[in-house]
Amino acid sequence: MTGVAGSADWYLAPMLSAERQLDAAVDGAAEEIRRAEEVIADLESSEEAVTEDEIAQFRDYVTGPGRTPAWDAVAARVASGEITWRAVVEGELALDEGVRTAYETSARITSEEQLTSTDRPQRAESEVGAVHSRAGWEDDDDYFSDLTPFDDSQY
């Protein structure tokens, strides 16, 4: 009675083979997940903390040569105790509207010399007031799928 409901014959060779292949694939995926978790844990534990000197250098830059009205607002919040420079530098406030706006108003820093320079950095004309628009995209998936991380040419 092969192939008849209720019969176990249909389950034999092809199904047992498929079941073994699926089990092997699941085991392989589980092992890859375990390895990825180990790599992530290693990376997280090896991250160097931002030093007080680096925070002071950043603060001195955004309140000095890199000063903008948006950074003045952030500095006022730090002075009031609402936030800290460490939280700003370490990215804890990346979703904060005021901090994000301040970063967006800053000229791009491409070298350590720019941080220590007393000259005010100039933004390219195309950067001033530029907003990367999603207009013309059918939906957010299309818009974000075309963005490449670390590709500054689109800003």
Side-chain angles (χ1 to χ4, degrees), residues 110-147:
T110 57
S111 69
E112 189 171 336
E113 289 76 34
Q114 282 180 288
L115 277 176
T116 56
S117 170
T118 55
D119 298 332
R120 186 172 178 85
Q122 299 299 313
R123 295 185 76 188
E125 230 12 76
S126 62
E127 288 182 357
V128 177
V131 175
H132 194 62
S133 171
R134 292 194 290 226
W137 295 98
E138 191 170 314
D139 60 23
D140 284 347
D141 290 340
D142 291 338
Y143 170 77
F144 287 110
S145 67
D146 285 348
L147 291 179

Side-chain angles (χ1 to χ4, degrees), residues 56-69 71-72 75 85 106 109 114-121:
Q57 186 178 26
F58 176 84
R59 181 200 59 234
D60 292 347
Y61 175 78
V62 299
T63 58
R67 185 176 177 196
T68 66
W71 280 118
D72 287 345
W85 283 115
S106 296
I109 303 299
Q114 282 180 288
L115 277 176
T116 56
S117 170
T118 55
D119 298 332
R120 186 172 178 85

Side-chain angles (χ1 to χ4, degrees), residues 2-155:
T2 6
V4 177
S7 169
D9 292 344
W10 66 270
Y11 193 76
L12 292 178
M15 286 303 288
L16 288 173
S17 174
E19 186 176 16
R20 280 192 296 271
Q21 289 175 351
L22 180 60
D23 286 345
V26 168
D27 289 344
E31 181 59 31
E32 287 298 317
I33 290 170
R34 277 191 289 278
R35 278 197 291 248
E37 288 173 340
E38 288 174 10
V39 168
I40 291 169
D42 289 346
L43 288 173
E44 287 175 345
S45 67
S46 69
E47 286 184 22
E48 295 179 23
V50 178
T51 66
E52 291 300 320
D53 287 342
E54 291 168 327
I55 292 170
Q57 186 178 26
F58 176 84
R59 181 200 59 234
D60 292 347
Y61 175 78
V62 299
T63 58
R67 185 176 177 196
T68 66
W71 280 118
D72 287 345
V74 170
R77 290 174 64 195
V78 171
S80 74
E82 179 184 347
I83 60 176
T84 65
W85 283 115
R86 178 170 290 283
V88 171
V89 171
E90 291 182 342
E92 294 173 23
L93 300 170
L95 297 178
D96 181 275
E97 184 72 27
V99 172
R100 194 175 77 243
T101 299
Y103 273 109
E104 290 171 355
T105 64
S106 296
R108 299 230 185 267
I109 303 299
T110 57
S111 69
E112 189 171 336
E113 289 76 34
Q114 282 180 288
L115 277 176
T116 56
S117 170
T118 55
D119 298 332
R120 186 172 178 85
Q122 299 299 313
R123 295 185 76 188
E125 230 12 76
S126 62
E127 288 182 357
V128 177
V131 175
H132 194 62
S133 171
R134 292 194 290 226
W137 295 98
E138 191 170 314
D139 60 23
D140 284 347
D141 290 340
D142 291 338
Y143 170 77
F144 287 110
S145 67
D146 285 348
L147 291 179
T148 304
F150 311 113
D151 180 5
D152 291 337
S153 65
Q154 49 196 330
Y155 296 103

